[in-house]
Amino acid sequence: MNFENPFFIILISIGTIFIIGGFLMSKYPPKSINHLYGYRTSTSMKNQDIWDYAQKFSSKKMMKYGLVQTLLSLVGFFNLLPVSLLNMFLGIGLIVILSALMIFETESALKKKLRQIETKNNS
C-alpha cells in the first residue's frame, strides 16, 4: 500500500471533490440561471427548463466520474504502478479525459433535450 503514489493522491483527491461537488449540486441546485454556481455553458443557459435539467444531469455525471476516479486511484494505492513522475502525468491525464467525457455526455444530453423541447413547442 502506498499513500505517496502521485497517481493515488491525484485521483483520490479529485474523485472525492467530484463526488462531494456532485452531491451538493444535486441537493442544492441553483434555482435560476446565473453565472456563478452550477453547470454553466451556453447550452445550459438557453432557458430555465434546460438549466434545471442540466443541473440534475451534470450532478449525477459528476458523482459517477468521481467514483470512477476514486476506484482508479486504487491502482496507485496497491502499488500496481511504481512511484514515478509518470504517475503524476497519468493521474492528471485521466482527470482531464474523464472531465472532458463528463462534459461531452452532459452537452450531448442537453442538446437532445433542447431538440425535444423545440419539437414539443413547434407541435
Side-chain angles (χ1 to χ4, degrees):
M1 292 186 208
N2 190 352
F3 289 103
E4 296 176 4
N5 192 323
F7 189 84
F8 170 73
I9 294 169
I10 291 168
L11 289 173
I12 195 77
S13 301
I14 302 302
T16 303
I17 290 168
F18 270 43
I19 292 169
I20 293 169
F23 177 78
L24 289 173
M25 269 186 53
S26 71
K27 293 297 175 193
Y28 307 104
K31 304 281 188 250
S32 59
I33 298 171
N34 68 76
H35 292 280
L36 295 175
Y37 172 59
Y39 184 83
R40 302 171 319 269
T41 63
S42 59
T43 307
S44 69
M45 299 171 88
K46 288 206 183 269
N47 63 49
Q48 190 65 42
D49 289 336
I50 293 295
W51 175 260
D52 294 337
Y53 180 77
Q55 305 317 307
K56 290 177 188 170
F57 189 90
S58 65
S59 64
K60 289 176 187 173
K61 288 294 176 185
M62 197 170 190
M63 288 187 286
K64 172 189 166 188
Y65 282 105
L67 181 61
V68 168
Q69 292 167 18
T70 303
L71 292 174
L72 285 172
S73 74
L74 297 176
V75 171
F77 181 70
F78 289 112
N79 289 324
L80 300 176
L81 293 173
V83 175
S84 70
L85 187 60
L86 176 63
N87 288 341
M88 181 179 70
F89 292 113
L90 286 173
I92 292 170
L94 278 171
I95 296 295
V96 170
I97 290 167
L98 293 172
S99 297
L101 189 57
M102 178 182 66
I103 292 168
F104 176 77
E105 286 182 12
T106 303
E107 286 298 305
S108 296
L110 293 181
K111 288 175 184 170
K112 182 178 177 183
K113 181 74 171 175
L114 192 55
R115 283 191 300 271
Q116 289 173 349
I117 290 172
E118 288 171 350
T119 303
K120 183 180 174 183
N121 289 341
N122 290 338
S123 299

